[in-house]
Amino acid sequence: PLTRSQFALGFMDPPLPPVSTISVPTVSTTLDWTVNQTALNQHRADIEQFVDAERNISLVRSEVRVGQVMHFDYSEQKYVFPISASLYSLIPEVSPFQNKHYNTCAVVGSGGILSNSYCGNEIDRADFVFRCNFAPIDKYKSHVGSKTNFTTFNPSVLEKYFSNLQTIYDRARFLNELRRLRGAVLWIPAFSFHGSNMVTRTLTDFFLEHERQFNPKLNLAWPGNVMKYFSDFWKTKGLSPKRLSTGMIVYTLATMFCEEVRLYGFWPYSVAPDHTPLSYHYYDKKGTTFTMKWKQAHQLPEEFNLLQHLHKQGVLKLTVAPCS
Ligand code: CDP
């Protein structure tokens, strides 16, 4: 049989533990929270040792050239993606976050804890709202809000939710979703896995075909091979998963641009603090069983413990209860 480390190297997915083996932390959902400026400044200084947020958020044209061969954060060195003229033309000239600073920011994770939370208004009141993986909001506005200033867009979303843009219906639906994101930053980690090569091509073609229809334009951000910087920082805090979760990376970025960061939808457990059962994502179909698939790459409970610790320190505000 394969050993644990062989599993970790991706030989085979390890068997998933039963949901009941993950214990739910005890959280206080009522305590007042105030920012601790000293601790927050220290936390930012610690991050800055590893992450240059303004630069790491996206490649800029002056750093790359057409034909340059890119590698991937999580694939073997033999896998490559040469930068095409089309992709080059979609890379921003300057960082989409150059000199940006916001007062209050909401980082919206996709946990089922947001269902029936009525946190939508509170989230939308933030000056800047970060979301993950193009998560749907239309049907869930009262719980997750509708304002979106930044969303991550793993190219695999195209495969999973838009059938690789193969039909006129998928194309129209995708265009419609993109139109609603005009002015927002779309953060596309195209150089994480080689598996996204084909979808990245489909995506760049689609952007170029419809470019003129976006006014204000879409702000595309294409991070280079930067995942290591984030992992190295969190390693200093005792966290070293195979891959950090998207939410953790977004939170790290938000801390560098925002005075105050509030987190919603971060709760990787199958029941709420009051023990009502939850779906994994707030947008999962009714009756979907809580997935433990993340176990293959992430350490979500360990991430949550760290976030909870930072909440207690006054560095970030974690919301895990309905908003009043
Ligand atoms: O790309 P990834 O699988 O990391 O994320 P996702 O499933 O699209 O969810 C977005 C983020 O929300 C995750 O990266 C987690 O940080 C957070 N999340 C959580 O804390 N608890 C859940 N039950 C689901 C997601």
Side-chain angles (χ1 to χ4, degrees):
L2 296 175
T3 62
R4 279 250 144 215
S5 57
Q6 283 172 321
F7 281 140
L9 288 167
F11 283 82
M12 193 193 277
D13 294 331
L16 302 176
V19 172
S20 57
T21 61
I22 308 269
S23 55
V24 178
T26 324
V27 285
S28 162
T29 51
T30 49
L31 275 189
D32 282 344
W33 180 90
T34 46
V35 66
N36 176 340
Q37 203 56 51
T38 316
L40 177 55
N41 292 346
Q42 184 58 54
H43 184 58
R44 284 207 193 98
D46 291 347
I47 295 176
E48 252 166 17
Q49 300 283 318
F50 297 89
V51 178
D52 179 342
E54 205 175 283
R55 276 195 71 183
N56 295 161
I57 205 157
S58 181
L59 293 169
V60 292
R61 282 193 214 166
S62 57
E63 287 177 314
V64 290
R65 57 183 170 73
V66 174
Q68 181 173 332
V69 170
M70 296 295 292
H71 293 268
F72 299 89
D73 295 297
Y74 304 117
S75 296
E76 286 174 56
Q77 277 295 303
K78 67 178 180 188
Y79 291 106
V80 289
F81 189 90
I83 295 189
S84 63
S86 322
L87 174 56
Y88 182 81
S89 71
L90 292 168
I91 292 175
E93 281 182 63
V94 295
S95 166
F97 275 69
Q98 191 179 48
N99 300 324
K100 292 283 195 286
H101 204 76
Y102 307 98
N103 196 21
T104 54
C105 294
V107 177
V108 187
S110 305
I113 189 89
L114 274 173
S115 303
N116 301 316
S117 69
Y118 292 94
C119 286
N121 285 338
E122 193 179 305
I123 290 171
D124 284 349
R125 275 201 299 273
D127 296 327
F128 198 89
V129 180
F130 292 86
R131 296 183 191 269
C132 296
N133 293 332
F134 217 59
I137 44 182
D138 243 10
K139 286 194 251 162
Y140 314 93
K141 279 183 187 158
S142 42
H143 306 298
V144 308
S146 57
K147 189 174 184 173
T148 304
N149 303 103
F150 176 106
T151 184
T152 67
F153 185 92
N154 192 318
S156 65
V157 170
L158 221 51
E159 227 163 0
K160 225 166 150 187
Y161 299 107
F162 298 93
S163 319
N164 276 330
L165 302 181
Q166 295 185 85
T167 69
I168 46 174
Y169 308 109
D170 294 312
R171 293 168 71 84
R173 204 159 47 83
F174 185 54
L175 187 61
N176 208 22
E177 298 275 327
L178 284 180
R179 282 215 183 98
R180 282 194 282 136
L181 286 172
R182 280 173 297 194
V185 175
L186 203 58
W187 190 82
I188 311 166
F191 308 113
S192 288
F193 298 104
H194 69 281
S196 49
N197 275 0
M198 299 308 282
V199 260
T200 299
R201 289 204 177 93
T202 311
L203 193 62
T204 47
D205 283 351
F206 191 86
F207 285 143
L208 285 171
E209 283 156 31
H210 297 89
E211 206 174 23
R212 268 183 258 132
Q213 298 179 28
F214 299 115
N215 187 15
K217 67 182 186 65
L218 283 170
N219 284 320
L220 303 181
W222 305 85
N225 297 127
V226 296
M227 297 307 164
K228 189 179 177 319
Y229 307 136
F230 293 86
S231 313
D232 284 351
F233 164 67
W234 286 106
K235 209 182 277 172
T236 66
K237 305 287 171 202
L239 185 68
S240 43
K242 199 160 144 191
R243 294 198 302 274
L244 288 168
S245 76
T246 305
M248 207 61 175
I249 290 168
V250 174
Y251 159 66
T252 316
L253 287 170
T255 303
M256 305 313 280
F257 299 109
C258 308
E259 252 342 284
E260 190 179 302
V261 181
R262 297 174 173 220
L263 265 56
Y264 303 84
F266 284 74
W267 182 261
Y269 307 103
S270 59
V271 292
D274 69 2
H275 297 283
T276 22
L278 296 174
S279 57
Y280 183 73
H281 291 123
Y282 68 77
Y283 51 82
D284 287 342
K285 275 202 200 101
K286 256 207 166 115
T288 314
T289 41
F290 187 89
T291 174
M292 294 293 280
K293 265 198 165 152
W294 53 264
K295 270 256 151 197
Q296 292 159 7
H298 302 321
Q299 290 180 349
L300 296 185
E302 287 80 355
E303 288 187 1
F304 183 83
N305 290 345
L306 273 170
L307 294 174
Q308 204 184 357
H309 177 71
L310 292 166
H311 170 96
K312 285 181 188 151
Q313 279 193 316
V315 168
L316 58 84
K317 185 170 189 283
L318 199 53
T319 296
V320 293
C323 298
S324 42

